[in-house]
């Protein structure tokens, strides 16, 4: 068992040394190059920019490692998808191949301006902006996305997860979310919010959408220079499904990554494809995309995973589940209440003392190339959250129990029992209680966001950004 795979024996310096040695050997053997530098990038997965020389000329590649809790197949899947896209003249980085140490695949490094990492914890501190040039590139990206959707499904059937394209409207709409839902079941990462979202998705399938296409899965991610699109990126959840899933991704990612005028992007897509965008279907797939992304955030919290980003998972969980409720509310035509106020904090002396001690000691931890400043900051953010959570936990649980008891008629006094009651109601709900359930789930997610931020809802904080509506703009 290596340092890369064992949490008991893991050593940061050893891990770094093994990775650099493996990368150096791979570059020499496969690219005929001599590595001159490796730089680990700030992401929740290990990635490196690797610079090397061949005959005195400098080149660079990106070594893309695996997400925590993901299997080797998941990373190979993304590599195979990108290779198929490259073979069909889609503008993706050239794929050089697979390496075993570290488990990663290698692609051309794209020289461009810094791209926002698309993480909420960074967007809160440094909100992303949209320059005029990036906006023109965004519009051009819609042309490239249309080309991606036009690649025949048959070009991907050699890839195991894409070998049997969906045929019915229900399978097209639900395949990705059913897989993620079952992953949540198997790992005990589902909760009452995801139970409701999946039941809602099953009951509201767009039956008229029967064309299956290749979809990026997490669309909107690309590198640009000025107004030019240089390369499309991030195909780890690519699938065969409804193209409107990809259109929904723009709403799901914004404003963590500023996507600009989303309705204008949809109009550009219509111009390029010659087909109208069905906005209610985009709204449906907004819920679907957020369901998948929301369950994925729960995997960030695995304490046995090496690396990862626990606090990003918590931030995204609170924001994503709330915005999924907002997507349903817009589609079904009812208003949600944001008029919530934090109570006075309840200070618990033991937790205050212990967590303040952790914060002080983490702040003093030495950093190195193996444990960088940004990694220490992410670790520091965990007890910061727990300190706030301890101050408002009783309020959060009490309000959540009260909401559930009002709907179910129960007299529960603890949140675990109340959650079991609402899950039982969801299992038998035929839409009569949808509005009440959405309001309960929305308030719960909003309260969690308030605890994380330590403030009442603040529209200037991306954590509280309300999902941009799309249906009213079409009226």
């Amino acid at each position: 068992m290596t340092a890369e795979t064992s949490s008991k024996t893991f050593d940061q310096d050893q891990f770094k040394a093994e990775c650099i040695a493996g990368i150096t050997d791979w570059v020499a053997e496969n690219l005929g190059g001599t590595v001159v530098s490796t730089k680990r990038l700030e992401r929740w997965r290990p990635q490196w920019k690797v610079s090397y020389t061949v005959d005195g000329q400098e080149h660079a590649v990106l070594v893309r490692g695996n997400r925590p809790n993901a299997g080797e197949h998941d990373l190979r899947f993304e590599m195979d998808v990108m290779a198929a896209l490259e073979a069909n003249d889609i503008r993706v980085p050239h794929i050089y191949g697979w390496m075993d140490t570290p488990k990663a695949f290698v692609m051309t490094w794209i020289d461009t301006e810094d791209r926002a990492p698309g993480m909420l914890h960074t967007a809160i501190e440094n909100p992303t902006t949209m320059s005029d040039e990036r906006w023109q590139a965004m519009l051009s990206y819609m042309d490239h996305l249309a080309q991606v959707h036009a690649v025949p499904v048959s070009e991907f059937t050699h890839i195991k997860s894409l070998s049997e394209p969906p045929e019915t409207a229900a399978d097209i709409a639900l395949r990705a979310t059913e897989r993620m839902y079952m992953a949540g079941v198997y790992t005990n990462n589902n909760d009452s919010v995801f139970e409701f979202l999946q039941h809602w998705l099953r009951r509201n399938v767009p039956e008229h959408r029967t064309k299956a296409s290749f979809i990026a899965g997490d669309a909107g991610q690309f590198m640009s220079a000025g107004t030019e699109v240089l390369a499309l990126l991030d195909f780890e959840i690519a699938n065969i499904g409804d193209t409107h899933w990809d259109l929904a991704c723009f709403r799901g990612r914004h404003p963590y990554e500023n996507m600009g005028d989303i309705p204008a992007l949809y109009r550009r897509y219509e111009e390029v494809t010659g087909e109208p965008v069905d906005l209610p279907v985009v709204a449906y797939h907004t819920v679907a995309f957020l369901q998948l992304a929301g369950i994925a955030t729960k995997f960030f919290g695995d304490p046995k995973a090496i690396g990862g980003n626990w606090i990003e998972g918590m931030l995204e969980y609170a924001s994503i589940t709330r915005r999924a409720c907002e997507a349903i509310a817009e589609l079904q035509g009812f208003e949600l209440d944001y008029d919530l106020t934090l109570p006075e904090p309840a200070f618990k002396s033991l937790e205050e003392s212990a967590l303040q001690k952790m914060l002080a000691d983490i702040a003093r931890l030495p950093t190195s190339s193996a444990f960088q400043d940004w990694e220490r900051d992410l670790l520091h953010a965990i007890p910061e959250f727990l300190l706030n959570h301890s101050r408002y936990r009783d309020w959060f649980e009490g309000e959540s129990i009260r909401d559930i008891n009002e709907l179910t008629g129960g007299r529960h006094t603890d949140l675990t029992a109340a959650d079991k009651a609402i899950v039982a109601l969801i299992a038998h709900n035929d839409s009569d209680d949808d509005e009440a359930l959405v309001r309960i789930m929305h308030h719960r997610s909003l309260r969690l966001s308030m605890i994380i931020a330590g403030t009442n809802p603040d529209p200037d904080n991306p954590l509280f950004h309300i999902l941009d509506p799309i249906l009213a703009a079409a009226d």
Side-chain angles (χ1 to χ4, degrees), residues 204-217:
N204 290 276
V205 167
E207 296 290 349
H208 62 291
R209 301 289 295 184
T210 56
K211 179 182 178 181
S213 303
F214 174 82
I215 57 176

Side-chain angles (χ1 to χ4, degrees), residues 319-363:
S319 177
I320 285 170
T321 52
R322 172 181 56 78
R323 286 153 63 87
C325 293
E326 291 166 354
I328 295 174
E330 183 195 19
L331 191 54
Q332 297 191 180
F334 57 84
E335 298 293 326
L336 294 171
D337 173 28
Y338 296 83
D339 189 20
L340 300 184
T341 305
L342 280 174
E344 289 298 315
F347 296 102
K348 296 174 169 55
S349 59
L350 188 60
E351 289 170 88
E352 289 282 327
S353 174
L355 292 168
Q356 293 285 9
K357 172 61 174 172
M358 287 184 67
L359 287 167
D361 285 351
I362 290 172

Side-chain angles (χ1 to χ4, degrees), residues 342-345 388-397 451 454:
L342 280 174
E344 289 298 315
N388 260 4
H389 188 260
S390 72
R391 294 167 179 171
Y392 298 108
R393 179 176 60 240
D394 295 344
W395 165 75
F396 175 83
E397 293 185 355
I451 290 173

Side-chain angles (χ1 to χ4, degrees), residues 190-257:
N190 282 355
D191 57 25
S192 57
V193 179
F194 299 126
E195 289 292 334
F196 171 68
L197 292 178
Q198 192 59 22
H199 278 75
W200 185 91
L201 288 166
R202 291 167 181 167
R203 288 188 283 103
N204 290 276
V205 167
E207 296 290 349
H208 62 291
R209 301 289 295 184
T210 56
K211 179 182 178 181
S213 303
F214 174 82
I215 57 176
D218 198 2
Q221 301 188 75
F222 65 97
M223 305 295 281
S224 62
T227 62
E228 183 183 3
V229 173
L230 298 180
L232 281 58
L233 300 170
D234 293 346
F235 292 91
E236 60 189 306
I237 59 170
N239 212 329
I240 307 298
D242 189 335
T243 57
H244 282 30
W245 171 292
D246 277 352
L247 299 182
C249 294
F250 295 92
R251 301 179 75 202
R253 298 189 67 81
H254 184 78
Y256 316 147
E257 288 189 57

Side-chain angles (χ1 to χ4, degrees), residues 156-455:
F156 303 93
T157 53
H158 64 286
I159 301 172
K160 183 177 180 181
S161 298
L162 306 180
S163 60
E164 298 180 4
E167 296 179 356
T168 67
D171 198 12
I172 290 169
L174 295 170
R175 177 173 290 194
T177 61
E178 289 288 1
R179 286 176 177 172
M180 183 57 82
Y181 172 80
M182 292 310 301
V185 170
Y186 292 145
T187 57
N188 199 31
N189 277 308
N190 282 355
D191 57 25
S192 57
V193 179
F194 299 126
E195 289 292 334
F196 171 68
L197 292 178
Q198 192 59 22
H199 278 75
W200 185 91
L201 288 166
R202 291 167 181 167
R203 288 188 283 103
N204 290 276
V205 167
E207 296 290 349
H208 62 291
R209 301 289 295 184
T210 56
K211 179 182 178 181
S213 303
F214 174 82
I215 57 176
D218 198 2
Q221 301 188 75
F222 65 97
M223 305 295 281
S224 62
T227 62
E228 183 183 3
V229 173
L230 298 180
L232 281 58
L233 300 170
D234 293 346
F235 292 91
E236 60 189 306
I237 59 170
N239 212 329
I240 307 298
D242 189 335
T243 57
H244 282 30
W245 171 292
D246 277 352
L247 299 182
C249 294
F250 295 92
R251 301 179 75 202
R253 298 189 67 81
H254 184 78
Y256 316 147
E257 288 189 57
N258 192 319
M259 296 288 164
D261 185 343
I262 293 173
L265 295 177
Y266 295 165
R267 291 193 293 272
R268 175 62 169 254
Y269 184 82
E270 288 181 329
E271 293 171 2
V272 175
T273 62
E275 299 178 0
V277 171
D278 190 331
L279 291 177
V281 174
V282 175
Y284 171 89
H285 283 295
T286 300
V287 182
F289 174 66
L290 292 172
Q291 177 267 15
L292 184 145
I295 296 176
T297 66
K298 291 296 210 70
F299 291 91
F300 290 23
D302 182 355
K304 296 179 181 179
I306 296 170
N309 190 333
W310 191 96
I311 196 64
E312 178 68 17
M314 180 57 63
L315 289 164
E316 290 196 15
Y317 170 82
S319 177
I320 285 170
T321 52
R322 172 181 56 78
R323 286 153 63 87
C325 293
E326 291 166 354
I328 295 174
E330 183 195 19
L331 191 54
Q332 297 191 180
F334 57 84
E335 298 293 326
L336 294 171
D337 173 28
Y338 296 83
D339 189 20
L340 300 184
T341 305
L342 280 174
E344 289 298 315
F347 296 102
K348 296 174 169 55
S349 59
L350 188 60
E351 289 170 88
E352 289 282 327
S353 174
L355 292 168
Q356 293 285 9
K357 172 61 174 172
M358 287 184 67
L359 287 167
D361 285 351
I362 290 172
R364 289 194 292 268
L365 286 176
T367 59
S368 66
S369 58
F371 181 62
Q372 299 184 34
D373 290 353
W374 58 267
E375 293 175 287
R376 183 178 62 186
D377 292 343
L378 293 179
L379 183 62
H380 191 271
I382 296 175
E384 280 186 308
F385 161 74
L386 292 175
L387 197 59
N388 260 4
H389 188 260
S390 72
R391 294 167 179 171
Y392 298 108
R393 179 176 60 240
D394 295 344
W395 165 75
F396 175 83
E397 293 185 355
E399 291 296 294
S400 299
I401 292 167
R402 181 182 61 80
D403 285 347
I404 294 171
N405 283 344
E406 285 183 2
L407 178 60
T408 64
R411 302 179 66 179
H412 305 289
T413 57
D414 71 273
L415 190 52
T416 299
D419 271 337
K420 288 181 180 178
I422 202 168
V423 167
L425 183 149
I426 289 167
H428 298 94
N429 176 42
D430 60 359
S431 79
D432 290 345
D433 293 317
D434 276 0
E435 183 172 345
L437 285 164
V438 168
R439 292 185 187 282
I440 287 174
M441 304 300 179
H442 181 260
H443 270 181
R444 188 162 173 170
S445 298
L446 186 57
R447 291 187 192 107
L448 181 57
S449 296
M450 293 162 66
I451 290 173
I452 293 169
T455 68

